[in-house]
Amino acid sequence: MKSIQSFFLLAILFPLALLAQTKATVSIQNTTASDRKEAVVSVKWETIVSHYPQIDTTNFVVINSITKKQVPFQLEHQGFKTIQNLLVQVNVKAKSVLQLSIQKGKHSVFETKTYARFVPERKDDFAWENDRIAFRAYGKALEKTKEDAYGLDVWVKRTDKMILNERYKIGDYHIDHGNGLDYYHVGFTLGAGNMAPYVKDTIRYSANYHQWKVLDNGPLRSSFILTYDTWDADRIKVKATKKITLEAGSQLNRIENVYTYESNALLPVVVGIIKRLEKGILSLNEQQGIMGYWEPSYGKDGTTGVGAILTTPVSNITVGTAQLLAKTEVKNNEAIVYYTGAAWDKAGKITTATHWFDYLNKFSQELKNPLIVSVK
């Protein structure tokens, strides 16, 4: 009889204890021998709610258990109405565990570190940036004009402030007014790491993107989708979507491409980086899928490093007169993920080819050894 009474007592007290819980604890473990600095970490929102069911999305803080200071966060929706993830930006020392407390409180106003938008006033550009670097993709209105280009563009910057709106407003972004400029040349190439089908040893370029959708927009992560209308890749009708994500503190975008075509065969594709006529410095690792390029200096404008990291097997990396190409394959209607981005020596953080290639190699290792997150 006592055991039955105890069972019913526990059945009553357990949900009451859950309702009374006033916080959740997040543990972030770094198993590697390198510090993880300014890492944006994703925690599933449903997991947080299961441990802290009374959480108020308008009245909570994330506290570093060591410093007792607030940690910047973002509620990520991924294009849905409901919250999908809690994003936090943290530093986690090598071989250590960082604990965060999620509890009731008024959070600080966090600095915007990522931003993305459609730019109709500049022929349908889509531009995005973080506190390190900026990029743009070309839209429909630019097609068949003398300014048209195929690849991804880089806007170098030497400030952690958001600069896109200011540059477009001034309209003079090819001159450095103190925060950087656009001196990167794309032309009819893949530019700074765009991807395209590679059929019969030829790049089969699409037209520019024709539709766009912003999924999330800072302060720690911005993501959006660009959609490309069907085009002919040597008698293969292909259409594509590109989901691009840029996090605070990162030099590289995460790009998730989905190619749709009427076949079950694998489609060869390449990630490309435009190569300059003058001599630059290369670091190519087919086995690890890393392609790094430190461009020749461009006069007073400085030097740009460009790189890509593929997560699918790379059959080969070629160095042509116009582009560096890393070749891989995709399946019909299945996502392929890779990373691409750039750095500028005048920003003062990555100033040599060695620094840039070390950054790419470290980034690749971090992808293979992600931070481990648990909630209680």
PDB file of all heavy atoms in Angstrom, residues 253-279:
ATOM      1  N   ASN A 253      31.198  31.695 -45.076  1.00  0.00           N
ATOM      2  CA  ASN A 253      29.785  31.368 -45.191  1.00  0.00           C
ATOM      3  C   ASN A 253      29.590  29.861 -45.193  1.00  0.00           C
ATOM      4  O   ASN A 253      30.432  29.122 -45.705  1.00  0.00           O
ATOM      5  CB  ASN A 253      29.201  31.879 -46.519  1.00  0.00           C
ATOM      6  CG  ASN A 253      29.307  33.368 -46.680  1.00  0.00           C
ATOM      7  OD1 ASN A 253      28.565  34.118 -46.097  1.00  0.00           O
ATOM      8  ND2 ASN A 253      30.258  33.800 -47.515  1.00  0.00           N
ATOM      9  N   ARG A 254      28.466  29.426 -44.654  1.00  0.00           N
ATOM     10  CA  ARG A 254      28.017  28.048 -44.865  1.00  0.00           C
ATOM     11  C   ARG A 254      27.011  28.082 -46.008  1.00  0.00           C
ATOM     12  O   ARG A 254      26.031  28.821 -45.959  1.00  0.00           O
ATOM     13  CB  ARG A 254      27.344  27.489 -43.612  1.00  0.00           C
ATOM     14  CG  ARG A 254      26.842  26.045 -43.776  1.00  0.00           C
ATOM     15  CD  ARG A 254      26.055  25.631 -42.546  1.00  0.00           C
ATOM     16  NE  ARG A 254      25.719  24.203 -42.543  1.00  0.00           N
ATOM     17  CZ  ARG A 254      24.643  23.672 -43.130  1.00  0.00           C
ATOM     18  NH1 ARG A 254      23.775  24.463 -43.768  1.00  0.00           N
ATOM     19  NH2 ARG A 254      24.409  22.382 -43.078  1.00  0.00           N
ATOM     20  N   ILE A 255      27.254  27.317 -47.061  1.00  0.00           N
ATOM     21  CA  ILE A 255      26.364  27.304 -48.222  1.00  0.00           C
ATOM     22  C   ILE A 255      25.808  25.901 -48.408  1.00  0.00           C
ATOM     23  O   ILE A 255      26.553  24.923 -48.489  1.00  0.00           O
ATOM     24  CB  ILE A 255      27.078  27.774 -49.498  1.00  0.00           C
ATOM     25  CG1 ILE A 255      27.618  29.201 -49.296  1.00  0.00           C
ATOM     26  CG2 ILE A 255      26.132  27.723 -50.688  1.00  0.00           C
ATOM     27  CD1 ILE A 255      28.258  29.802 -50.518  1.00  0.00           C
ATOM     28  N   GLU A 256      24.489  25.822 -48.457  1.00  0.00           N
ATOM     29  CA  GLU A 256      23.793  24.552 -48.658  1.00  0.00           C
ATOM     30  C   GLU A 256      23.039  24.634 -49.982  1.00  0.00           C
ATOM     31  O   GLU A 256      22.054  25.349 -50.094  1.00  0.00           O
ATOM     32  CB  GLU A 256      22.830  24.292 -47.505  1.00  0.00           C
ATOM     33  CG  GLU A 256      22.051  23.001 -47.611  1.00  0.00           C
ATOM     34  CD  GLU A 256      21.111  22.804 -46.433  1.00  0.00           C
ATOM     35  OE1 GLU A 256      21.526  23.059 -45.288  1.00  0.00           O
ATOM     36  OE2 GLU A 256      19.950  22.405 -46.676  1.00  0.00           O
ATOM     37  N   ASN A 257      23.539  23.928 -50.974  1.00  0.00           N
ATOM     38  CA  ASN A 257      22.936  23.953 -52.305  1.00  0.00           C
ATOM     39  C   ASN A 257      22.084  22.708 -52.538  1.00  0.00           C
ATOM     40  O   ASN A 257      22.459  21.611 -52.134  1.00  0.00           O
ATOM     41  CB  ASN A 257      24.016  23.995 -53.392  1.00  0.00           C
ATOM     42  CG  ASN A 257      24.696  25.348 -53.489  1.00  0.00           C
ATOM     43  OD1 ASN A 257      24.197  26.342 -52.976  1.00  0.00           O
ATOM     44  ND2 ASN A 257      25.845  25.379 -54.134  1.00  0.00           N
ATOM     45  N   VAL A 258      20.963  22.903 -53.213  1.00  0.00           N
ATOM     46  CA  VAL A 258      20.139  21.780 -53.655  1.00  0.00           C
ATOM     47  C   VAL A 258      19.926  21.930 -55.155  1.00  0.00           C
ATOM     48  O   VAL A 258      19.348  22.926 -55.613  1.00  0.00           O
ATOM     49  CB  VAL A 258      18.778  21.734 -52.932  1.00  0.00           C
ATOM     50  CG1 VAL A 258      17.924  20.603 -53.505  1.00  0.00           C
ATOM     51  CG2 VAL A 258      18.973  21.544 -51.432  1.00  0.00           C
ATOM     52  N   TYR A 259      20.408  20.955 -55.922  1.00  0.00           N
ATOM     53  CA  TYR A 259      20.215  20.931 -57.369  1.00  0.00           C
ATOM     54  C   TYR A 259      19.124  19.917 -57.710  1.00  0.00           C
ATOM     55  O   TYR A 259      19.146  18.778 -57.226  1.00  0.00           O
ATOM     56  CB  TYR A 259      21.507  20.533 -58.086  1.00  0.00           C
ATOM     57  CG  TYR A 259      22.585  21.591 -58.008  1.00  0.00           C
ATOM     58  CD1 TYR A 259      23.550  21.542 -57.008  1.00  0.00           C
ATOM     59  CD2 TYR A 259      22.627  22.631 -58.931  1.00  0.00           C
ATOM     60  CE1 TYR A 259      24.538  22.510 -56.929  1.00  0.00           C
ATOM     61  CE2 TYR A 259      23.608  23.598 -58.862  1.00  0.00           C
ATOM     62  CZ  TYR A 259      24.561  23.539 -57.857  1.00  0.00           C
ATOM     63  OH  TYR A 259      25.533  24.515 -57.781  1.00  0.00           O
ATOM     64  N   THR A 260      18.190  20.344 -58.527  1.00  0.00           N
ATOM     65  CA  THR A 260      17.102  19.471 -58.953  1.00  0.00           C
ATOM     66  C   THR A 260      17.180  19.293 -60.463  1.00  0.00           C
ATOM     67  O   THR A 260      17.235  20.277 -61.214  1.00  0.00           O
ATOM     68  CB  THR A 260      15.737  20.074 -58.565  1.00  0.00           C
ATOM     69  OG1 THR A 260      15.724  20.325 -57.153  1.00  0.00           O
ATOM     70  CG2 THR A 260      14.611  19.116 -58.902  1.00  0.00           C
ATOM     71  N   TYR A 261      17.197  18.028 -60.898  1.00  0.00           N
ATOM     72  CA  TYR A 261      17.279  17.728 -62.333  1.00  0.00           C
ATOM     73  C   TYR A 261      16.645  16.362 -62.565  1.00  0.00           C
ATOM     74  O   TYR A 261      16.444  15.576 -61.637  1.00  0.00           O
ATOM     75  CB  TYR A 261      18.738  17.744 -62.815  1.00  0.00           C
ATOM     76  CG  TYR A 261      19.674  16.897 -62.001  1.00  0.00           C
ATOM     77  CD1 TYR A 261      19.977  15.593 -62.365  1.00  0.00           C
ATOM     78  CD2 TYR A 261      20.266  17.404 -60.838  1.00  0.00           C
ATOM     79  CE1 TYR A 261      20.834  14.812 -61.616  1.00  0.00           C
ATOM     80  CE2 TYR A 261      21.123  16.632 -60.075  1.00  0.00           C
ATOM     81  CZ  TYR A 261      21.410  15.344 -60.465  1.00  0.00           C
ATOM     82  OH  TYR A 261      22.256  14.568 -59.709  1.00  0.00           O
ATOM     83  N   GLU A 262      16.296  16.052 -63.807  1.00  0.00           N
ATOM     84  CA  GLU A 262      15.547  14.834 -64.122  1.00  0.00           C
ATOM     85  C   GLU A 262      16.491  13.667 -64.396  1.00  0.00           C
ATOM     86  O   GLU A 262      16.623  13.194 -65.523  1.00  0.00           O
ATOM     87  CB  GLU A 262      14.630  15.088 -65.319  1.00  0.00           C
ATOM     88  CG  GLU A 262      13.508  16.077 -65.023  1.00  0.00           C
ATOM     89  CD  GLU A 262      12.569  16.257 -66.198  1.00  0.00           C
ATOM     90  OE1 GLU A 262      12.883  15.712 -67.282  1.00  0.00           O
ATOM     91  OE2 GLU A 262      11.541  16.932 -66.035  1.00  0.00           O
ATOM     92  N   SER A 263      17.120  13.200 -63.336  1.00  0.00           N
ATOM     93  CA  SER A 263      18.009  12.051 -63.473  1.00  0.00           C
ATOM     94  C   SER A 263      18.382  11.552 -62.088  1.00  0.00           C
ATOM     95  O   SER A 263      18.391  12.316 -61.126  1.00  0.00           O
ATOM     96  CB  SER A 263      19.281  12.442 -64.239  1.00  0.00           C
ATOM     97  OG  SER A 263      20.218  11.386 -64.223  1.00  0.00           O
ATOM     98  N   ASN A 264      18.698  10.267 -61.995  1.00  0.00           N
ATOM     99  CA  ASN A 264      19.209   9.706 -60.752  1.00  0.00           C
ATOM    100  C   ASN A 264      20.728   9.634 -60.749  1.00  0.00           C
ATOM    101  O   ASN A 264      21.335   9.196 -59.767  1.00  0.00           O
ATOM    102  CB  ASN A 264      18.636   8.304 -60.532  1.00  0.00           C
ATOM    103  CG  ASN A 264      17.142   8.353 -60.240  1.00  0.00           C
ATOM    104  OD1 ASN A 264      16.665   9.259 -59.559  1.00  0.00           O
ATOM    105  ND2 ASN A 264      16.411   7.379 -60.769  1.00  0.00           N
ATOM    106  N   ALA A 265      21.331  10.055 -61.847  1.00  0.00           N
ATOM    107  CA  ALA A 265      22.789  10.035 -61.947  1.00  0.00           C
ATOM    108  C   ALA A 265      23.393  11.164 -61.116  1.00  0.00           C
ATOM    109  O   ALA A 265      22.756  12.202 -60.874  1.00  0.00           O
ATOM    110  CB  ALA A 265      23.212  10.172 -63.404  1.00  0.00           C
ATOM    111  N   LEU A 266      24.628  10.965 -60.696  1.00  0.00           N
ATOM    112  CA  LEU A 266      25.338  12.028 -59.986  1.00  0.00           C
ATOM    113  C   LEU A 266      25.668  13.159 -60.948  1.00  0.00           C
ATOM    114  O   LEU A 266      25.985  12.926 -62.121  1.00  0.00           O
ATOM    115  CB  LEU A 266      26.628  11.478 -59.371  1.00  0.00           C
ATOM    116  CG  LEU A 266      26.452  10.444 -58.251  1.00  0.00           C
ATOM    117  CD1 LEU A 266      27.808   9.859 -57.864  1.00  0.00           C
ATOM    118  CD2 LEU A 266      25.782  11.072 -57.046  1.00  0.00           C
ATOM    119  N   LEU A 267      25.584  14.381 -60.458  1.00  0.00           N
ATOM    120  CA  LEU A 267      25.890  15.557 -61.271  1.00  0.00           C
ATOM    121  C   LEU A 267      27.223  16.137 -60.812  1.00  0.00           C
ATOM    122  O   LEU A 267      27.363  16.530 -59.648  1.00  0.00           O
ATOM    123  CB  LEU A 267      24.787  16.602 -61.126  1.00  0.00           C
ATOM    124  CG  LEU A 267      24.992  17.925 -61.875  1.00  0.00           C
ATOM    125  CD1 LEU A 267      24.897  17.701 -63.387  1.00  0.00           C
ATOM    126  CD2 LEU A 267      23.966  18.963 -61.426  1.00  0.00           C
ATOM    127  N   PRO A 268      28.223  16.185 -61.686  1.00  0.00           N
ATOM    128  CA  PRO A 268      29.493  16.809 -61.294  1.00  0.00           C
ATOM    129  C   PRO A 268      29.332  18.319 -61.139  1.00  0.00           C
ATOM    130  O   PRO A 268      28.661  18.970 -61.947  1.00  0.00           O
ATOM    131  CB  PRO A 268      30.433  16.467 -62.458  1.00  0.00           C
ATOM    132  CG  PRO A 268      29.543  16.185 -63.615  1.00  0.00           C
ATOM    133  CD  PRO A 268      28.261  15.651 -63.064  1.00  0.00           C
ATOM    134  N   VAL A 269      29.934  18.858 -60.098  1.00  0.00           N
ATOM    135  CA  VAL A 269      29.894  20.294 -59.832  1.00  0.00           C
ATOM    136  C   VAL A 269      31.284  20.751 -59.412  1.00  0.00           C
ATOM    137  O   VAL A 269      32.125  19.949 -59.008  1.00  0.00           O
ATOM    138  CB  VAL A 269      28.872  20.661 -58.731  1.00  0.00           C
ATOM    139  CG1 VAL A 269      27.449  20.340 -59.154  1.00  0.00           C
ATOM    140  CG2 VAL A 269      29.220  19.970 -57.420  1.00  0.00           C
ATOM    141  N   VAL A 270      31.503  22.063 -59.492  1.00  0.00           N
ATOM    142  CA  VAL A 270      32.769  22.635 -59.034  1.00  0.00           C
ATOM    143  C   VAL A 270      32.500  23.850 -58.158  1.00  0.00           C
ATOM    144  O   VAL A 270      31.529  24.586 -58.358  1.00  0.00           O
ATOM    145  CB  VAL A 270      33.694  23.050 -60.204  1.00  0.00           C
ATOM    146  CG1 VAL A 270      34.277  21.840 -60.881  1.00  0.00           C
ATOM    147  CG2 VAL A 270      32.953  23.945 -61.196  1.00  0.00           C
ATOM    148  N   VAL A 271      33.369  24.033 -57.184  1.00  0.00           N
ATOM    149  CA  VAL A 271      33.455  25.284 -56.434  1.00  0.00           C
ATOM    150  C   VAL A 271      34.658  26.028 -57.002  1.00  0.00           C
ATOM    151  O   VAL A 271      35.745  25.444 -57.133  1.00  0.00           O
ATOM    152  CB  VAL A 271      33.641  25.034 -54.927  1.00  0.00           C
ATOM    153  CG1 VAL A 271      33.875  26.350 -54.190  1.00  0.00           C
ATOM    154  CG2 VAL A 271      32.435  24.314 -54.358  1.00  0.00           C
ATOM    155  N   GLY A 272      34.449  27.284 -57.373  1.00  0.00           N
ATOM    156  CA  GLY A 272      35.511  28.009 -58.058  1.00  0.00           C
ATOM    157  C   GLY A 272      35.926  29.293 -57.379  1.00  0.00           C
ATOM    158  O   GLY A 272      35.123  29.948 -56.695  1.00  0.00           O
ATOM    159  N   ILE A 273      37.190  29.649 -57.549  1.00  0.00           N
ATOM    160  CA  ILE A 273      37.742  30.917 -57.067  1.00  0.00           C
ATOM    161  C   ILE A 273      38.486  31.560 -58.226  1.00  0.00           C
ATOM    162  O   ILE A 273      39.362  30.929 -58.839  1.00  0.00           O
ATOM    163  CB  ILE A 273      38.698  30.712 -55.880  1.00  0.00           C
ATOM    164  CG1 ILE A 273      37.944  30.142 -54.675  1.00  0.00           C
ATOM    165  CG2 ILE A 273      39.396  32.012 -55.500  1.00  0.00           C
ATOM    166  CD1 ILE A 273      38.841  29.773 -53.505  1.00  0.00           C
ATOM    167  N   ILE A 274      38.157  32.805 -58.530  1.00  0.00           N
ATOM    168  CA  ILE A 274      38.820  33.488 -59.632  1.00  0.00           C
ATOM    169  C   ILE A 274      40.297  33.671 -59.325  1.00  0.00           C
ATOM    170  O   ILE A 274      40.684  33.965 -58.194  1.00  0.00           O
ATOM    171  CB  ILE A 274      38.150  34.845 -59.938  1.00  0.00           C
ATOM    172  CG1 ILE A 274      38.767  35.473 -61.197  1.00  0.00           C
ATOM    173  CG2 ILE A 274      38.219  35.792 -58.758  1.00  0.00           C
ATOM    174  CD1 ILE A 274      38.040  36.711 -61.693  1.00  0.00           C
ATOM    175  N   LYS A 275      41.131  33.465 -60.345  1.00  0.00           N
ATOM    176  CA  LYS A 275      42.580  33.564 -60.210  1.00  0.00           C
ATOM    177  C   LYS A 275      43.065  34.818 -60.944  1.00  0.00           C
ATOM    178  O   LYS A 275      42.664  35.082 -62.070  1.00  0.00           O
ATOM    179  CB  LYS A 275      43.228  32.308 -60.802  1.00  0.00           C
ATOM    180  CG  LYS A 275      44.743  32.247 -60.716  1.00  0.00           C
ATOM    181  CD  LYS A 275      45.215  30.876 -61.186  1.00  0.00           C
ATOM    182  CE  LYS A 275      46.722  30.812 -61.324  1.00  0.00           C
ATOM    183  NZ  LYS A 275      47.174  31.548 -62.519  1.00  0.00           N
ATOM    184  N   ARG A 276      43.933  35.569 -60.290  1.00  0.00           N
ATOM    185  CA  ARG A 276      44.451  36.797 -60.886  1.00  0.00           C
ATOM    186  C   ARG A 276      45.630  36.510 -61.827  1.00  0.00           C
ATOM    187  O   ARG A 276      46.277  35.452 -61.738  1.00  0.00           O
ATOM    188  CB  ARG A 276      44.889  37.773 -59.784  1.00  0.00           C
ATOM    189  CG  ARG A 276      43.850  38.035 -58.725  1.00  0.00           C
ATOM    190  CD  ARG A 276      42.530  38.512 -59.311  1.00  0.00           C
ATOM    191  NE  ARG A 276      41.498  38.636 -58.288  1.00  0.00           N
ATOM    192  CZ  ARG A 276      40.222  38.844 -58.536  1.00  0.00           C
ATOM    193  NH1 ARG A 276      39.793  38.924 -59.799  1.00  0.00           N
ATOM    194  NH2 ARG A 276      39.339  38.951 -57.558  1.00  0.00           N
ATOM    195  N   LEU A 277      45.903  37.467 -62.712  1.00  0.00           N
ATOM    196  CA  LEU A 277      47.002  37.318 -63.658  1.00  0.00           C
ATOM    197  C   LEU A 277      48.348  37.345 -62.951  1.00  0.00           C
ATOM    198  O   LEU A 277      49.272  36.599 -63.296  1.00  0.00           O
ATOM    199  CB  LEU A 277      46.944  38.430 -64.716  1.00  0.00           C
ATOM    200  CG  LEU A 277      45.733  38.398 -65.656  1.00  0.00           C
ATOM    201  CD1 LEU A 277      45.750  39.611 -66.589  1.00  0.00           C
ATOM    202  CD2 LEU A 277      45.705  37.110 -66.465  1.00  0.00           C
ATOM    203  N   GLU A 278      48.477  38.217 -61.932  1.00  0.00           N
ATOM    204  CA  GLU A 278      49.713  38.290 -61.181  1.00  0.00           C
ATOM    205  C   GLU A 278      49.833  37.077 -60.263  1.00  0.00           C
ATOM    206  O   GLU A 278      48.856  36.421 -59.948  1.00  0.00           O
ATOM    207  CB  GLU A 278      49.769  39.584 -60.358  1.00  0.00           C
ATOM    208  CG  GLU A 278      49.689  40.859 -61.184  1.00  0.00           C
ATOM    209  CD  GLU A 278      48.269  41.227 -61.585  1.00  0.00           C
ATOM    210  OE1 GLU A 278      47.338  40.540 -61.124  1.00  0.00           O
ATOM    211  OE2 GLU A 278      48.103  42.188 -62.355  1.00  0.00           O
ATOM    212  N   LYS A 279      51.029  36.820 -59.789  1.00  0.00           N
ATOM    213  CA  LYS A 279      51.273  35.630 -58.988  1.00  0.00           C
ATOM    214  C   LYS A 279      50.733  35.786 -57.574  1.00  0.00           C
ATOM    215  O   LYS A 279      51.051  36.746 -56.873  1.00  0.00           O
ATOM    216  CB  LYS A 279      52.771  35.325 -58.943  1.00  0.00           C
ATOM    217  CG  LYS A 279      53.088  34.010 -58.240  1.00  0.00           C
ATOM    218  CD  LYS A 279      54.576  33.717 -58.273  1.00  0.00           C
ATOM    219  CE  LYS A 279      54.886  32.386 -57.577  1.00  0.00           C
ATOM    220  NZ  LYS A 279      56.354  32.089 -57.593  1.00  0.00           N
TER     221      LYS A 279
END
